[in-house]
Amino acid sequence: DAKTTQPPSMDCAEGRAANLPCNHSTISGNEYVYWYRQIHSQGPQYIIHGLKNNETNEMASLIITEDRKSSTLILPHATLRDTAVYYCIVRVANNAGNMLTFGGGTRLMVKP
Amino acid sequence: KAGVTQTPRYLIKTRGQQVTLSCSPISGHRSVSWYQQTPGQGLQFLFEYFSETQRNKGNFPGRFSGRQFSNSRSEMNVSTLELGDSALYLCASSRTSGDSQYFGPGTRLTVL
């Protein structure tokens, strides 16, 4: 699976949009971009994933650049409960197995 | 629909002992993966089971083993515990191998 690069930490004001970047310049054509987050001492929570089109669900939006070398996770109206470590992972989503390779992630701090 | 459950939530053992952790996946999910999380190494993949067969294995010694039952519930076992095995052990389930994974709350193991 391709390697990802994320900033180690970011701050965001409550109520504002949080934009979390991820670089994955070596991504292959059949690799998806997945985002998970981990609130302190809890299990990681699946947020969203995509291949090349932008995706949106009730939690967030995922914007993938046209060359697929980077992406941005957008939390449209961040709340204090969104304070967590956010992990960007790229992997092949087929029947080849479930191994997720977690990097260091981005520690997002939402401030009042 | 109930989420992934893990038992016990907390466990204290001494060096040399062995431990068994249990994971019940989301109903209908047939794949179960295990991860270890430590402050030093972060989140690392241990192994994945699908239809009672181990599909993938991470880079861990043979003291770490697992199995999956016909109802998709899974157990992992660590024998001859070492101090470095102190960690949060996370279980994740998905409908099939390669699908989005959903994590449980974890079992926090402390080895004294």
Side-chain angles (χ1 to χ4, degrees):
Chain A
D1 293 337
K3 181 179 169 62
T4 62
T5 303
Q6 299 177 253
S9 64
M10 292 181 63
D11 289 344
C12 178
E14 188 178 20
R16 305 297 293 270
N19 297 290
L20 294 99
C22 179
N23 285 320
H24 31 79
S25 59
T26 60
I27 193 169
S28 301
N30 62 347
E31 287 183 312
Y32 286 69
V33 180
Y34 280 77
W35 283 84
Y36 283 81
R37 73 180 182 183
Q38 187 174 26
I39 296 170
H40 182 63
S41 295
Q42 298 181 21
Q45 178 187 24
Y46 165 79
I47 301 173
I48 198 167
H49 76 282
L51 183 62
K52 54 183 178 181
N53 297 321
N54 298 336
E55 302 287 345
T56 296
N57 63 20
E58 64 280 1
M59 288 183 67
S61 295
L62 173 60
I63 308 298
I64 303 174
T65 58
E66 193 166 342
D67 63 8
R68 302 206 328 119
K69 293 185 177 181
S70 65
S71 60
T72 301
L73 178 75
I74 301 173
L75 308 178
H77 305 286
T79 71
L80 298 179
R81 287 178 295 179
D82 291 322
T83 292
V85 178
Y86 287 77
Y87 296 99
C88 169
I89 299 165
V90 293
R91 64 178 292 261
V92 177
N94 59 19
N95 204 28
N98 262 357
M99 186 175 80
L100 293 176
T101 302
F102 287 84
T106 295
R107 186 173 298 277
L108 175 68
M109 179 74 72
V110 180
K111 299 183 175 181
Chain B
K1 186 186 275 191
V4 178
T5 58
Q6 293 187 244
T7 57
R9 293 293 311 281
Y10 302 91
L11 204 51
I12 299 175
K13 293 285 188 179
T14 56
R15 278 184 302 172
Q17 288 187 308
Q18 67 95 26
V19 67
T20 300
L21 311 181
S22 181
C23 172
S24 292
I26 293 171
S27 177
H29 285 197
R30 295 169 58 198
S31 172
V32 173
S33 299
W34 289 89
Y35 294 81
Q36 181 197 64
Q37 186 172 28
T38 61
Q41 299 298 319
L43 268 158
Q44 293 184 289
F45 173 81
L46 279 157
F47 31 64
E48 177 202 358
Y49 286 87
F50 179 73
S51 293
E52 302 178 63
T53 302
Q54 188 180 88
R55 291 211 57 170
N56 293 290
K57 190 176 192 305
N59 189 25
F60 279 83
R63 299 185 297 107
F64 292 82
S65 62
R67 60 177 175 168
Q68 186 180 34
F69 302 96
S70 58
N71 61 358
S72 295
R73 191 177 69 84
S74 177
E75 290 180 346
M76 68 162 282
N77 184 79
V78 187
S79 63
T80 320
L81 284 166
E82 301 176 0
L83 296 179
D85 297 333
S86 294
L88 180 66
Y89 289 89
L90 292 155
C91 165
S93 76
S94 61
R95 284 180 303 171
T96 63
S97 187
D99 205 354
S100 300
Q101 295 176 60
Y102 297 85
F103 285 78
T107 293
R108 185 162 296 280
L109 171 66
T110 302
V111 182
L112 302 176

